Amino acid sequence: MRVVFPFIAQPHQTLHSLPIAFEMALRHPEIDVHVACLTPQHLSYIQSLAALYPPAFITYELLKMPDFLRRRIESRGPEPLTKLLVLLLNRSYFSHFQAIVVPERTSLYLKRMGLRNVRFIWTRHGAGDRAIGFAKDVKLFDFVLLAGKKVEERLLAQGAIKPGHYHRGVYAKLDIVRRMRQDDSHLFSNDRPTILYNPHFSSSLSSWPTFGERILQYFANQDKYNLIFAPHYRLFNHDEETGEALIRQFEDYPHMLIDPGSTRSIDMTYTMAADLYLGDVSSQVAEFLIRPRPCLFLNAHNANWQNNPNYAFWHLGEVINDPLLLPEALDRAFSLHPQFEAQQKAYVAETFEFPDDGPTAPGAADAIVDFLRRPSHV
């Protein structure tokens, strides 16, 4: 049996499914496991992570495409049309596998491109509440991996999954993060509380376009807090110059760390190091809350969020709609955190399900293999 784990999106999705590939190769040597990428840089990153796992045989490959297209992806990142073109160019390659395991949903277009006898498995990426994680096309996957009962209940209610075609209790990113050699040194040379500002990339949801620069200026001109500015990996994906300009603008402020998109912004380095989460709709808040801490949310679009399940996590801290309120709100977030701690713990318990607090990718790999061994009509 041949199974491929393709990575056709930005690197921030990698850690959500790659550990499952490693575990499948280790636990099921009879399975021919392949990992495929768009660029040599991404493939090199993945192969560097393989050192965190015992030796296992995996075939690493670059997806086929013309040189000009690969250069475009290397300079601009994977865009919607380029991803579709890559899928079309590699349709024959994908047809030789019994299963395609992905953290994104774009790969479902392979079904429209004629792949009929391949099973599609979705690992998801992130554990947030936004509607995009519950899109209608989820039902097109043959098997889905879920972090916990919150996601299970929403997907069952909308008819996107059915019993026997999903496995609950998986968040593979945490497995590999635990294996990484974390730097125990402080990110800052002082003992101030550290704030993580983590705006989303979507302009219709993010606080960055309207609040962002004022927030950075506030932190530059105060001496009470450190700031890590590590937005969603895709915020500056098509605008690296802006990200680099921000680094230069604040490089003389030792209490500010500006990271527009390094691997440290996707491997939980910052969510583990911060004392308070400041953001809008990024699912990284769920990862941050694995260890409950103060949160403060920015409503930059006057969203009617109180009874909206897509904003469930906004009940885990105060929500403000004006950056001028930030100084007092930060102070309150620390002092009022005990009032939110029980809700945060309940949220984490509904979002993630780790009965033994151990790795979850082994169970995911076993569940996928068990499913693939069943007749396709079951």
Side-chain angles (χ1 to χ4, degrees):
M1 186 183 299
R2 304 177 81 237
V3 177
V4 63
F5 290 73
F7 295 93
I8 66 166
Q10 290 81 1
H12 70 284
Q13 299 185 3
T14 306
L15 303 186
H16 291 281
S17 60
L18 185 61
I20 301 169
F22 293 148
E23 294 289 1
M24 185 178 293
L26 286 167
R27 299 167 69 85
H28 302 278
E30 74 282 7
I31 305 294
D32 185 9
V33 178
H34 290 239
V35 168
C37 294
L38 300 178
T39 67
Q41 293 92 329
H42 196 173
L43 192 60
S44 177
Y45 174 56
I46 283 176
Q47 289 177 301
S48 73
L49 295 173
L52 298 171
Y53 283 78
F57 183 77
I58 290 179
T59 301
Y60 298 96
E61 297 167 303
L62 283 174
L63 292 169
K64 180 179 66 177
M65 69 187 78
D67 289 342
F68 80 89
L69 182 58
R70 202 178 312 273
R71 288 195 298 269
R72 180 181 177 88
I73 293 172
E74 287 172 343
S75 63
R76 296 177 58 86
E79 301 166 306
L81 288 178
T82 56
K83 287 190 287 187
L84 291 177
L85 182 55
V86 169
L87 291 175
L88 183 62
L89 291 170
N90 290 272
R91 178 178 54 182
S92 176
Y93 167 79
F94 286 117
S95 70
H96 291 93
F97 293 93
Q98 281 67 54
I100 299 172
V101 185
V102 294
E104 35 72 31
R105 304 190 331 275
T106 305
S107 294
L108 284 171
Y109 276 94
L110 285 167
K111 288 193 170 187
R112 300 187 188 183
M113 297 174 185
L115 266 66
R116 295 286 181 266
N117 299 315
V118 181
R119 292 180 175 181
F120 287 78
I121 297 164
W122 191 34
T123 69
R124 297 173 53 89
H125 67 273
D129 301 317
R130 290 179 56 227
I132 194 169
F134 307 93
K136 293 181 179 179
D137 59 4
V138 172
K139 65 183 179 182
L140 298 178
F141 284 100
D142 300 287
F143 197 75
V144 178
L145 300 175
L146 311 174
K149 62 182 179 181
K150 175 187 70 177
V151 175
E152 178 190 30
E153 290 171 355
R154 283 186 69 174
L155 290 176
L156 282 173
Q158 68 185 52
I161 57 174
K162 58 184 179 181
H165 289 256
Y166 68 87
H167 175 72
R168 194 176 82 187
V170 179
Y171 205 73
K173 179 177 179 177
L174 293 181
D175 292 13
I176 198 166
V177 166
R178 290 189 183 107
R179 289 173 180 254
M180 290 177 177
R181 182 177 298 170
Q182 298 296 335
D183 186 355
D184 293 330
S185 64
H186 294 295
L187 296 176
F188 300 94
S189 59
N190 62 66
D191 294 324
R192 299 176 188 174
T194 296
I195 313 300
L196 169 62
Y197 178 36
N198 175 231
H200 198 257
F201 69 92
S202 173
S203 60
S204 63
L205 298 167
S206 176
S207 59
W208 174 252
T210 52
F211 293 174
E213 293 206 28
R214 283 185 287 172
I215 289 173
L216 295 189
Q217 287 296 340
Y218 162 73
F219 280 103
N221 296 314
Q222 54 78 53
D223 58 5
K224 191 171 185 178
Y225 301 108
N226 297 317
L227 177 74
I228 300 168
F229 174 56
H232 190 288
Y233 190 86
R234 291 179 61 183
L235 181 62
F236 298 115
N237 190 231
H238 295 156
D239 188 13
E240 292 183 3
E241 290 184 3
T242 297
E244 292 169 358
L246 286 171
I247 293 175
R248 293 192 298 270
Q249 181 179 353
F250 295 101
E251 63 184 354
D252 294 329
Y253 295 85
H255 65 288
M256 297 179 69
L257 190 163
I258 308 295
D259 187 341
S262 77
T263 55
R264 292 205 303 180
S265 71
I266 63 176
D267 67 10
M268 294 182 63
T269 294
Y270 301 137
T271 52
M272 290 189 293
D275 299 297
L276 180 146
Y277 181 91
L278 176 66
D280 33 64
V281 299
S282 174
S283 66
Q284 284 192 46
V285 67
E287 298 173 359
F288 176 85
L289 286 172
I290 289 174
R291 177 162 57 89
R293 283 160 287 171
C295 294
L296 180 61
F297 301 104
L298 299 162
N299 185 358
H301 298 280
N302 295 314
N304 185 13
W305 60 272
Q306 285 84 350
N307 298 308
N308 188 336
N310 299 326
Y311 292 88
F313 52 88
W314 278 16
H315 292 275
L316 306 179
E318 186 180 356
V319 180
I320 61 173
N321 57 11
D322 188 334
L324 292 176
L325 303 174
L326 188 58
E328 294 79 9
L330 287 170
D331 292 343
R332 283 197 304 273
F334 284 102
S335 62
L336 296 179
H337 178 244
Q339 298 182 20
F340 292 100
E341 190 168 4
Q343 290 172 265
Q344 290 180 354
K345 290 179 178 178
Y347 178 86
V348 170
E350 290 182 352
T351 301
F352 303 104
E353 184 175 323
F354 311 136
D356 59 1
D357 200 32
T360 64
D366 293 347
I368 291 172
V369 172
D370 290 346
F371 172 76
L372 294 177
R373 286 175 175 158
R374 288 159 39 188
S376 59
H377 63 274
V378 176

